[in-house]
Amino acid sequence: MATPVSVTSGSTATPVQSRDDKPVSAAAKAKADLNVSIVQASLTVSLNSSNEPLSVVLKTALTGINEALKDDFGDNAIQNAVSQDNTPEGTAGRIVSLSTAFYEAYKQQHPGEDETETLNNFIGTLKKGVDQGFKEARDVLQSLKVLNGDIASNIDKTYDLVQQGYADFIAAHQPKPREEEAAQAAT
């Protein structure tokens, strides 16, 4: 018979044992820890406060996201991401660099297409996605009643920096006229 594992939450220990008396894995223990904390949080939620249930949702969602990202980003992916540069410049830089990294693959999927047309279509697709993403983010923040002051201006600044990043990308990847290529080759 397997030895029960004690899950400690607060000052009490709750024994956890698998149904088939097999040893409990670390993942099962972590899930049991989460379940205990969710139940305890649920028991302490005040019926007069509309924000307390959201803390349970947040905790559960973050735990699930961390678990899903564990293989790709290691333990505590969300907490590690929070420590990154979340200024408008840092955020815009990540958006531009991550999205434009697909340009070569996009070009390969459009063989024989004019290079300028391919570049413009690629950036147009990215801009459409960015516009949708920023709109959705604004809608979420507005519904939470936090889209004001510095938050609103930082979102606007980030959006402008992303647009500038795309303009810079176009300038750097614009096909050069044949005379310019010949002049560079001669030097």
Side-chain angles (χ1 to χ4, degrees):
M1 178 171 187
T3 306
V5 174
S6 290
V7 176
T8 305
S9 182
S11 61
T12 61
T14 307
V16 176
Q17 187 171 346
S18 65
R19 289 184 182 174
D20 57 3
D21 291 332
K22 291 183 181 176
V24 178
S25 68
K29 182 184 179 309
K31 187 168 183 155
D33 284 341
L34 173 63
N35 290 339
V36 168
S37 66
I38 290 170
V39 169
Q40 286 180 334
S42 297
L43 292 174
T44 60
V45 169
S46 167
L47 296 176
N48 296 329
S49 172
S50 63
N51 290 333
E52 287 297 320
L54 292 179
S55 68
V56 174
V57 172
L58 176 63
K59 185 174 184 175
T60 306
L62 290 178
T63 302
I65 292 168
N66 275 331
E67 188 62 33
L69 296 175
K70 186 176 185 175
D71 291 342
D72 293 323
F73 300 101
D75 291 332
N76 299 318
I78 296 295
Q79 290 81 349
N80 295 337
V82 169
S83 65
Q84 68 191 358
D85 180 5
N86 290 316
T87 63
E89 295 81 5
T91 302
R94 281 190 305 283
I95 292 169
V96 170
S97 67
L98 290 171
S99 61
T100 57
F102 294 99
Y103 181 55
E104 291 304 316
Y106 185 88
K107 279 180 22 178
Q108 289 176 3
Q109 292 178 351
H110 297 85
E113 196 174 275
D114 176 69
E115 242 184 284
T116 301
E117 183 180 341
T118 301
L119 178 62
N120 290 333
N121 288 341
F122 176 71
I123 294 298
T125 300
L126 295 181
K127 285 183 173 185
K128 183 179 175 184
V130 164
D131 288 347
Q132 179 182 342
F134 271 80
K135 180 191 178 312
E136 289 173 5
R138 283 185 177 108
D139 290 347
V140 167
L141 295 171
Q142 184 66 42
S143 70
L144 295 172
K145 299 182 185 348
V146 296
L147 185 61
N148 50 40
D150 286 346
I151 293 172
S153 63
N154 283 339
I155 290 173
D156 292 341
K157 184 175 182 179
T158 302
Y159 181 84
D160 292 343
L161 290 168
V162 168
Q163 299 306 312
Q164 182 59 54
Y166 287 155
D168 293 345
F169 184 85
I170 289 172
H173 290 82
Q174 195 68 274
K176 296 177 183 173
R178 300 220 186 269
E179 324 68 67
E180 191 177 323
E181 287 177 7
Q184 285 182 349
T187 54

